[in-house]
Amino acid sequence: MRRSFLQQTGLALLTLLASEIGLLQRGKGPLSPSVKNYLDALAEPTNRKLALLVGINEYSRNLGLTGCLTDVELQKELLIHRFGFQPSDIITLTNKEATRENIETAFIEHLTQQAKSNDVVVFHFSGYGMGVNIPEPIAADLKMADATEAGSNNLMNGLVTSDGTSLVKNTSAVNGILEETLILLANSLATDRVTLVLDTSYKITENSLVGGLRARSLPVISQQPSPEELSFQQGLKQKYPQAIDRPLSGTILQATRADGIATETVWDGFSAGLFTHALTQFLWQVTPASTIQFSLARTNEAIASMGSIYQQPRADFKDKKPLLMYYCQPESLVGAEGFIKAIDDTGGVAIDLGGIPAKILNNYGIGSCFTVVSNRSQQESLPTEDLQSAPQQTEPILLQIRSREGLSAKAKLISQSSDNKPEVGQLVRESIRILPRNLGTIVALDAQLERIERVDGTSAFANINSVSEVVIAGDEIADCLFGRVKPAQIEDIQAQTDPDTEQKATEDKSNSLGGYGLFTIDGVLIPNTVGIATEAVKSAVRRLIPQLETLLAAKLWGLTVNQGSSNLAVEVTLALVEPENKILLKQQTLRSLNSGEKQFDNISVRDLSNFTEQDSTVTIARGSKIQYQIENQSDRPIYPLILGLDSESSPIALYSPELNGNSTQLKNTAILPRETIIVPQPSASLNWIVSGAKGISKVHVICSIAPFEQTLKALLAMQHLKGDKERILDLPNPLETARALLFDLHSASGASPNITGSSGDVWALDVSAWANLSFVYRVV
């Protein structure tokens, strides 16, 4: 059955892999070993799939988290409904159940004693991590090569179990599981297809909050491992001697770098770890099977889009690099945003929306529609290239959301045929995205501000039209953080400033010290928002109005990202032109399986099989020249638009002017089916040169089936726009442009009034009408 499936879908899988990791070039010889290994992995039989999922919110000593149980549910639903795990083969341990002894016993009894060769094993942990000091007499018996980079050479990573923190203040030992114990447990398995997912971190934090995010690092170091843990580890070595002194042959997926901090946050109705939510959300949508390198790179981009710039996940390959995420492929070729959880007697449908990006779900409007994936088993057996062209046997089932609480929604049937009824377990795919028109910026007040500062800030922000809500940092997710700038952050500004303005930064340093500013949600200062030390709160808020409007514009652009759900077949390539020719990153709408690959001449392809944590975010040096290649793989003309924020958080846009008599106007460039354009055009006198301070740049390449009439009118507000050459320019009216963009996408979608109602207070965006692919890169 599996080999027949591979034969039918092999060509399409190979084509997708070529697009994903860029390993095939037309007419340039046989398959590379990486591609061959990928196909061999798909052909290998997979036997049983086992999982042990651990999440701990409740710790003692006033320590606690809020998102770890949600992480367990996200992972469980993904494994069952996307990767075909049987519910009976998944054990969950949460809160008080998740003691050190219970976790280690469950690992032995459920995983070690049951897993056979070629079985798939997943272990997930969400909770606190810690550094554990290993005294010299004990260190000789342990693998200190796995120690953390923080401080002593005898400091090892550890997972804090639910019974661990009770020892923090009374003794020098914290009960928990050492990383070496975890590796020994993994090596005790008869299979090497093991994935350890660790949504935790080990770096000590002064505060429980990192900006507006909650840290998953214990604020102390355990001075020694617990005697019980050392005793268990010794017993493991005696019972499974083959597990000693052998590197892990599977994979460890870490939520952040060795020196980073894993975080969680509270969304609208639920709390979750940024890493777990971003990873599982991507795996819901991607199709068919995804390499771990590709999945981790996309997860990193998703975390950045949530507002956390420096939490960069990584993968540790102790022996050989795996190809497939979780060492298996999804049960269905069809990507989805969720599944049907239940159907009541009145026909109401409960759906899980784990495949919707968190920031989009946080602003999701009532009335959004989903299509039920029908005849799932039949679609799985179709050759991939025939999926989109396969005739519809029955009218598709359309569901419309009536209410939502966290990750779960209640929907009603608005379209179905008499012989096609929804069933529990069926996948659902986004069809129409509803966004409220009255969205604003959510500002979090730094918890370290004095009470009077918070009162003044709440009052001042209430009078700003672009601000919709003010919260206290840590209570719920926000778009930015308002607080005082610390001296160390001023020094960071000076270190990252463009060389041409470094002298000015030095002169302004004394005046800026201690003033108010805006920060990303993980506490990174947003450039050009620092005020003088003597500035009052209300004056600072008034000064920041332009930046708040820019943040709202960026939020609205981000809410139209739909790489996973768009039905518009588009591929965009970001390429370096100077100082060398090189493809940096490719993005493609995941539901469009491309039938070929075009490339720049003489540009080498970035091979994601050489993925390391250092290049999880693309880096581009200041002064480099870049281009975007936009390929229309659909059967209709599309119209492109490029907007974004540069590394100084200033809004930018691509202007494509043309002369009309004595005046300059902007043109609606059309890309015909199967054609490709390069922007800026090679003939343009001004190339796209990366400039500005060191930092993160976020660019959106947006394509629509209809011209951007209102958006171009807003762009024409640019003063002194002359000539007929394409160029990248500052955007003076980002918020007006963002709202015009939503108006254009709403018009292109042409949603029925039956969907939107008559109030006119929402944008209704049909996923077949547009595609927004986002590019995140670091300027160095």
Side-chain angles (χ1 to χ4, degrees), residues 184-195:
L184 286 170
L185 284 167
N187 286 344
S188 72
L189 297 164
T191 179
D192 60 0
R193 299 183 177 186
V194 55
T195 304

Side-chain angles (χ1 to χ4, degrees), residues 352-363:
D352 182 280
L353 298 176
I356 299 287
K359 219 164 189 183
I360 294 175
L361 185 61
N362 216 48
N363 297 276

